[in-house]
Amino acid sequence: MFEIKVKLTTVSCCLIGNQTESFSVGGVDQSTTIDESGRPIIHGSAFKGALRNIVREQEKEVKNLKKTKNYVEHIIREILEKYNSEDITKTEKVRNMISNLEKQVNNKSLKAEYIFGMEGINGMPRIFCSDFRVIESKDTKIDDYFMIDTKNSLEEINGEILSNPRTYKVIKPGVRFEGVIRFYNPFSKEDGEIEAELKCALNMFNSGIYGIGNSKSRGYGQITVDFDNDKQKGECHDNI
């Protein structure tokens, strides 16, 4: 098990979640999610989903996340050994799971993204992600974290193109958050190489190509990340 303490800074406006404020002053159509104190919050599920998307896309490259793929294969073989033992009752669910895993191992179709967990597989090593909360400053008021942004949404009605202004309450650029990513591993295999490759994937946020939250096609969601406990950065390929 390891954990990575991540600090996140918004570079563009960010719209996280789908919280509506139908009766708010100013008629905001959509608002970013907030915590119990009214400050913006980036839920762990939103960040984890964005990171999983990076891993999914980056592993398409032959050299990318190779060690993570090998790690996944090793763990799957351990799981198969466990469930193929005589001590495990072979229910239909277990038989289907074993058959599915054996096909993936034999066809070399195991994916690096399985470190986020596999549907139907209990006890798989997986990534857990905390909520990202604002790094507070005594000089910062709640309203200083937000801005109101308006963008046009084009709709075609009866052959006519109409402009429909949409108003968003978003997180301002320059807001700092912090959170923790934990990798839980119930097996004996060392996971240091996984940590290094995961940090390389996290660094892809700094490229400006990947973002988080909603409306990324409108330029929202660009962030940068850095690590509090960055004792080893790992060796990243040029394309990851």
Side-chain angles (χ1 to χ4, degrees):
M1 176 176 174
F2 62 80
E3 67 175 38
I4 304 172
K5 296 178 182 178
V6 180
K7 288 189 177 179
L8 176 161
T9 305
T10 56
V11 176
S12 70
C13 297
C14 288
L15 180 63
I16 311 296
N18 189 22
Q19 183 169 320
T20 57
E21 295 185 359
S22 303
F23 303 101
S24 64
V25 177
V28 174
D29 295 299
Q30 194 172 348
S31 177
T32 196
T33 53
I34 57 175
D35 64 13
E36 65 281 357
S37 301
R39 297 180 178 84
I41 186 171
I42 299 173
H43 290 301
S45 57
F47 187 84
K48 182 177 176 181
L51 178 58
R52 185 168 190 161
N53 179 59
I54 291 176
V55 170
R56 183 181 296 120
E57 290 195 9
Q58 290 299 312
E59 73 172 323
K60 293 176 183 177
E61 300 292 337
V62 176
K63 294 182 180 180
N64 288 355
L65 300 162
K66 185 176 181 180
K67 293 176 181 177
T68 301
K69 291 179 185 178
N70 291 339
Y71 180 92
V72 167
E73 181 176 352
H74 177 90
I75 295 301
I76 293 301
R77 290 188 184 279
E78 283 199 34
I79 292 175
L80 281 171
E81 184 178 344
K82 170 186 173 183
Y83 279 95
N84 277 320
S85 70
E86 296 180 357
D87 298 333
I88 300 294
T89 303
K90 302 299 188 297
T91 63
E92 183 178 357
K93 181 179 180 180
V94 170
R95 288 196 299 270
N96 289 337
M97 182 196 72
I98 291 173
S99 175
N100 177 46
L101 291 179
E102 286 178 340
K103 287 179 181 177
Q104 293 197 55
V105 169
N106 294 333
N107 296 333
K108 296 292 183 180
S109 57
L110 294 171
K111 301 175 182 178
E113 69 171 291
Y114 289 161
I115 61 169
F116 290 84
M118 292 179 66
E119 185 177 357
I121 310 297
N122 296 326
M124 181 74 183
R126 66 183 60 198
I127 289 173
F128 296 89
C129 189
S130 74
D131 291 338
F132 282 74
R133 294 182 175 268
V134 167
I135 300 175
E136 296 181 37
S137 169
K138 63 180 180 180
D139 299 322
T140 305
K141 300 177 182 179
I142 288 181
D143 290 343
D144 293 335
Y145 298 116
F146 304 99
M147 64 180 290
I148 303 298
D149 194 17
T150 302
K151 294 186 182 295
N152 286 328
S153 175
L154 299 180
E155 298 181 60
E156 182 178 354
I157 301 178
N158 298 325
E160 184 179 359
I161 304 297
L162 300 177
S163 177
N164 180 25
R166 301 279 295 176
T167 305
Y168 304 94
K169 183 178 180 181
V170 297
I171 308 170
K172 284 182 177 180
V175 178
R176 295 272 286 167
F177 296 81
E178 59 184 355
V180 177
I181 295 173
R182 294 183 176 88
F183 182 66
Y184 171 69
N185 175 18
F187 297 90
S188 58
K189 184 170 174 57
E190 293 295 325
D191 47 32
E193 293 177 342
I194 306 304
E195 181 178 1
E197 289 194 338
L198 185 60
K199 285 183 177 180
C200 290
L202 283 163
N203 272 320
M204 288 302 298
F205 282 116
N206 299 332
S207 70
I209 299 172
Y210 297 95
I212 60 172
N214 310 43
S215 298
K216 291 188 284 293
S217 62
R218 293 186 171 94
Y220 290 149
Q222 292 187 31
I223 62 171
T224 59
V225 300
D226 57 85
F227 314 120
D228 261 5
N229 56 342
D230 201 0
K231 296 179 182 178
Q232 62 170 60
K233 293 185 178 180
E235 293 184 3
C236 299
H237 295 288
D238 292 339
N239 56 351
I240 183 171

